[in-house]
Amino acid sequence: DAKTTQPPSMDCAEGRAANLPCNHSTISGNEYVYWYRQIHSQGPQYIIHGLKNNETNEMASLIITEDRKSSTLILPHATLRDTAVYYCIVRGSGSGTYKYIFGTGTRLKVLA
Amino acid sequence: EPEVTQTPSHQVTQMGQEVILRCVPISNHLYFYWYRQILGQKVEFLVSFYNNEISEKSEIFDDQFSVERPDGSNFTLKIRSTKLEDSAMYFCASTGLARGETQYFGPGTRLLVL
């Protein structure tokens, strides 16, 4: 089973920030938090990942709580093209498995 | 920007037939994966592959499935005798030099078994 919990759906107005939460209360010290999105049935698209520090790239920001039990993906200015299913995935980096275990994700709808 | 490619984009086959799905991972990547997604369901891990052997496989990846890297660029998934329940999107992914690196996914092959 996935080690993450996400709300099934969210709406966001175009141009506003979309804040997508994820709970990963059983995360281990060497496990990273990854975010992907899937538009329709296309291949999952990498967005961002982090271990414990907040991260930012050209697509999004990732805020990880100090206890690492939850995180938030922020799309600063959502557009209609950001409508997708967003997946939060916890994956190890040591000698353990490197497979991704996908949950059901959050279906984000950006409204005009 | 380098990307993972997959062919064909769509494949229709009859139950019991063999299919081969092809993937070209990002050129300097060493770790390869197959996932599948049945319509309306979650993305599921099938198998990981490194150094010409399977690293890990899921319960779904039974004897009907096999993977191969026949040359320096292609990575294939073969289903020997397709079943109706094999109908799904199949995604290939690859990772760079270190196992802990990000996986990049291809666009997928939609397989329909009739």
Side-chain angles (χ1 to χ4, degrees), chain B residues 16-64:
Chain B
Q17 294 296 303
E18 173 184 288
V19 296
I20 297 176
L21 310 183
R22 291 182 169 79
C23 168
V24 178
I26 294 172
S27 64
N28 62 346
H29 282 189
L30 299 177
Y31 296 88
F32 314 112
Y33 307 82
W34 283 101
Y35 294 81
R36 80 170 186 190
Q37 185 176 33
I38 294 171
L39 186 63
Q41 297 187 23
K42 295 185 281 189
V43 177
E44 302 172 287
F45 167 77
L46 292 178
V47 65
S48 60
F49 189 86
Y50 168 70
N51 199 25
N52 282 322
E53 59 182 31
I54 291 173
S55 305
E56 184 176 4
K57 60 184 180 179
S58 71
E59 292 179 353
I60 302 167
F61 195 89
D62 61 21
D63 292 344
Q64 293 300 313

Side-chain angles (χ1 to χ4, degrees), chain A residues 36 38 91 97-100, chain B residues 35 37 56 99-100 103:
Chain A
Y36 284 76
Q38 188 176 29
R91 200 213 64 192
T97 181
Y98 293 88
K99 67 187 178 192
Y100 285 168
Chain B
Y35 294 81
Q37 185 176 33
E56 184 176 4
R99 294 182 76 179
Q103 292 180 28

Side-chain angles (χ1 to χ4, degrees), chain B:
Chain B
E1 183 176 320
E3 57 184 20
V4 177
T5 59
Q6 291 185 241
T7 55
S9 58
H10 294 78
Q11 173 117 27
V12 180
T13 190
Q14 296 292 323
M15 189 169 57
Q17 294 296 303
E18 173 184 288
V19 296
I20 297 176
L21 310 183
R22 291 182 169 79
C23 168
V24 178
I26 294 172
S27 64
N28 62 346
H29 282 189
L30 299 177
Y31 296 88
F32 314 112
Y33 307 82
W34 283 101
Y35 294 81
R36 80 170 186 190
Q37 185 176 33
I38 294 171
L39 186 63
Q41 297 187 23
K42 295 185 281 189
V43 177
E44 302 172 287
F45 167 77
L46 292 178
V47 65
S48 60
F49 189 86
Y50 168 70
N51 199 25
N52 282 322
E53 59 182 31
I54 291 173
S55 305
E56 184 176 4
K57 60 184 180 179
S58 71
E59 292 179 353
I60 302 167
F61 195 89
D62 61 21
D63 292 344
Q64 293 300 313
F65 291 88
S66 62
V67 288
E68 190 179 31
R69 188 153 162 82
D71 53 42
S73 59
N74 289 284
F75 178 51
T76 63
L77 174 69
K78 182 193 291 186
I79 309 175
R80 290 192 183 85
S81 178
T82 50
K83 308 184 186 81
L84 296 177
E85 54 264 37
D86 293 327
S87 295
M89 285 290 292
Y90 288 81
F91 298 110
C92 172
S94 69
T95 292
L97 299 178
R99 294 182 76 179
E101 292 189 16
T102 301
Q103 292 180 28
Y104 292 94
F105 287 78
T109 293
R110 183 178 297 279
L111 176 66
L112 178 60
V113 182
L114 302 177

